[in-house]
Amino acid sequence: MKRALALALLTLLPLPALAQATGDLGLVVERASGSLLLVDRSDRAALTRIEGLGDLSHASLTYSPDERFAYVFGRDGGLSKVDLIDRKVVARTMQAGNSIGGAISDDGRLVAVSNYEPGGVKVFDAGTLAPVADIPAEGKTIGLVDLPGRRFAWAVWDTGEVFTGDFSGAAPVVTSLGIAGVNPFDAVLTADAHTYLVGLFGEKGVMSYDLWSPETPPQKFLTDYGKTGEDMPVYKMPHLQGWAFTEGQFALPAVGRHEVLWVDSETHADRGATPVHGQPVFIIAQPASPYVWVNFATPLNDTVQVIDSRDHKVVATLTPGKAVLHMEFAPRGAEVWISARDDDRVLVYDTRTREKLAEIAAKAPSGIFFTARAHRPGL
Amino acid sequence: MPKLALFLAILPGMALAEIAPEQAARLEHIVTQDCGSCHGLTLRGGLGRPLTTEALAGADPATLATIILDGVPGTAMPPWRPLLTEEEARWIADYLTTKDQR
């Protein structure tokens, strides 16, 4: 009884203004309930749930430079600004009918959203979420990343065209980089902002753009990969945000195959393939290590594998839970947090022992985003 | 009045292919989660078009079941035959075309 009273009081009292440091916090997307779980990395615990964010399937988010605010890109076109200290949504706009992701400019002033319906890129003031620019496209935009100098890059699924947009001046300057190929499904920027890789779904291959010397013609690679074998149906689009760059190589998901592909990051020469448990979805490099971690598309999505990038061998196979959707590393690599959607759990693993350290209850968790992302380009 | 309620309660069940309740729950889960990864969790569209009852108005469930089993060649819509039986695909097609009326 006393307990119930205390609980009731707790829920009635307004939350005190907490002066909590945010450097070890993170947000977990709870896709079915339209909520975010605020987590503390050091305590390996959930702090609170932030609700009212709409349709969060496929949702992603990015952080302000001071790691106080998260910009959440919902599938339903909602753009929400969440305050990690006051633990609530502080601004929200329905900016399109259907959107897929976004990015924040290098100076933290602009937030760009990539939309499916109507297609295009919309840019907002990071402070107020007031609209700043609207760049229509002839189709669904994908692979939006930030480039240095208040610029962004993106591609269009329907036409295959790739663009950069410069928002540093009074009016935006949009430049076409040409056609990457048939149906680009995602794109990613290397951490040095040198190479923009555009993965193709409608044909074999990956197009590589040299953003340091834009006059260099783009290079297509992996074009004849697997032409002999029969490809399997793709039940989940692989993500490229997680493409790993390690040991001078790109580790790429083979679309429609149970393989991770290794490509020389300088010459784009084929460096081999690793047979894996299923169709890779995310391939993520464990920071400060030679390892990459891979999760898989349904129905083989209860498993995570660890591959050594030096010899391309699988060194560990874990089964963290049902429907593993995402993995996020502590910025220095000591831990990895793994979401198991159908177990309603986030699992914390030690990356050295690969033993489970903790479990955190979450409602159908998908993406996990630590605030350290605030300081990484292309995220 | 009670008669009407009874009628309403039975109708959806009759419209759907013969599937045990626990299996129906599994299929519903597949629709939201797995189809939802391309068509949107609320099925209002993503990379794939909307699959709301409204968007599918007038569509023939048998045709939809075939699309689900065989996919749409040349697009990202994969064939689900390796993962679903014909009965299951038909149940999903019926479910998609009626669910917002229930």
Side-chain angles (χ1 to χ4, degrees), chain B residues 31-80:
Chain B
V31 169
T32 356
Q33 301 298 350
D34 296 333
C35 312
S37 77
C38 282
H39 291 279
L41 207 64
T42 53
L43 302 179
R44 288 206 200 91
L47 199 57
R49 14 176 128 154
L51 296 180
T52 52
T53 302
E54 196 187 355
L56 295 175
D60 169 27
T63 314
L64 290 181
T66 311
I67 293 178
I68 295 167
L69 288 169
D70 296 332
V72 184
T75 77
M77 174 64 187
W80 290 82

Side-chain angles (χ1 to χ4, degrees), chain A:
Chain A
M1 186 57 208
K2 235 185 203 153
R3 183 100 145 288
L5 189 68
L7 213 73
L9 273 176
L10 262 180
T11 50
L12 285 177
L13 287 171
L15 274 176
L18 298 170
Q20 166 145 31
T22 57
D24 60 354
L25 300 187
L27 288 166
V28 178
V29 172
E30 298 184 308
R31 46 189 254 153
S33 50
S35 49
L36 297 170
L37 198 64
L38 181 66
V39 293
D40 185 316
R41 227 166 12 84
S42 310
D43 295 348
R44 297 189 191 118
L47 298 177
T48 191
R49 176 167 282 123
I50 298 166
E51 320 225 53
L53 289 113
D55 181 352
L56 290 185
S57 56
H58 221 291
S60 65
L61 57 87
T62 186
Y63 288 103
S64 63
D66 60 5
E67 300 185 2
R68 172 163 186 180
F69 299 104
Y71 299 92
V72 186
F73 310 103
R75 176 41 88 59
D76 57 3
L79 166 63
S80 312
K81 180 175 176 178
V82 171
D83 185 335
L84 268 56
I85 291 181
D86 285 345
R87 303 178 173 187
K88 62 178 192 202
V89 178
V90 288
R92 183 166 157 81
T93 169
M94 289 305 286
Q95 54 83 40
N98 200 309
S99 76
I100 187 65
I104 188 163
S105 62
D106 58 346
D107 61 359
R109 306 266 171 211
L110 300 174
V111 173
V113 192
S114 142
N115 289 321
Y116 273 0
E117 193 52 54
V121 172
K122 284 194 183 169
V123 180
F124 299 86
D125 180 287
T128 60
L129 298 192
V132 170
D134 185 356
I135 317 292
E138 287 164 37
K140 306 174 166 92
T141 50
I142 56 98
L144 178 71
V145 298
D146 64 283
L147 304 179
R150 249 201 214 186
R151 293 178 304 146
F152 296 99
W154 63 89
V156 180
W157 160 270
D158 309 65
T159 62
E161 200 165 1
V162 177
F163 296 92
T164 57
D166 185 334
F167 299 87
S168 60
V173 179
V174 177
T175 310
S176 170
L177 303 185
I179 307 284
V182 184
N183 290 153
F185 64 94
D186 201 1
V188 69
L189 184 73
T190 54
D192 55 9
H194 186 179
T195 311
Y196 185 53
L197 293 171
V198 180
L200 301 173
F201 182 82
E203 64 179 282
K204 293 277 178 203
V206 175
M207 195 66 135
S208 156
Y209 292 86
D210 182 341
L211 299 180
W212 285 0
S213 24
E215 64 287 352
T216 314
Q219 236 192 316
K220 200 173 276 184
F221 60 97
L222 289 176
T223 47
D224 56 357
Y225 180 76
K227 278 235 169 88
T228 47
E230 182 75 9
D231 283 358
M232 287 171 270
V234 177
Y235 294 110
K236 181 153 174 47
M237 283 290 164
H239 282 266
L240 303 191
Q241 291 102 314
W243 280 14
F245 312 106
T246 175
E247 281 274 299
Q249 310 161 93
F250 302 139
L252 310 174
V255 178
R257 301 175 71 94
H258 292 192
E259 277 174 341
V260 169
L261 310 178
W262 302 89
V263 173
D264 187 291
S265 57
E266 274 309 307
T267 63
H268 298 152
D270 193 342
R271 289 245 214 118
T274 303
V276 287
H277 175 76
Q279 293 183 17
V281 176
F282 282 104
I283 303 173
I284 307 184
Q286 174 186 328
S289 87
Y291 302 112
V292 301
W293 291 55
V294 189
N295 73 329
F296 304 100
T298 178
L300 298 170
N301 54 3
D302 64 342
T303 297
V304 165
Q305 287 185 311
V306 186
I307 310 175
D308 188 327
S309 61
R310 293 166 296 185
D311 61 7
H312 303 168
K313 296 232 162 65
V314 173
V315 294
T317 298
L318 312 175
T319 45
K322 283 199 265 183
V324 170
L325 293 193
H326 196 221
M327 302 165 287
E328 176 87 336
F329 287 93
R332 297 183 189 214
E335 288 179 359
V336 60
W337 289 41
I338 298 175
S339 57
R341 183 194 66 205
D342 292 355
D343 281 340
D344 293 313
R345 288 234 168 328
V346 172
L347 310 150
V348 183
Y349 277 78
D350 181 306
T351 52
R352 288 181 77 91
T353 61
R354 301 189 188 113
E355 297 289 338
K356 189 161 62 187
L357 298 171
E359 289 190 10
I360 297 165
K363 292 190 228 165
S366 60
I368 305 172
F369 302 86
F370 292 148
T371 50
R373 286 178 173 244
H375 314 297
R376 282 168 57 192
L379 285 184

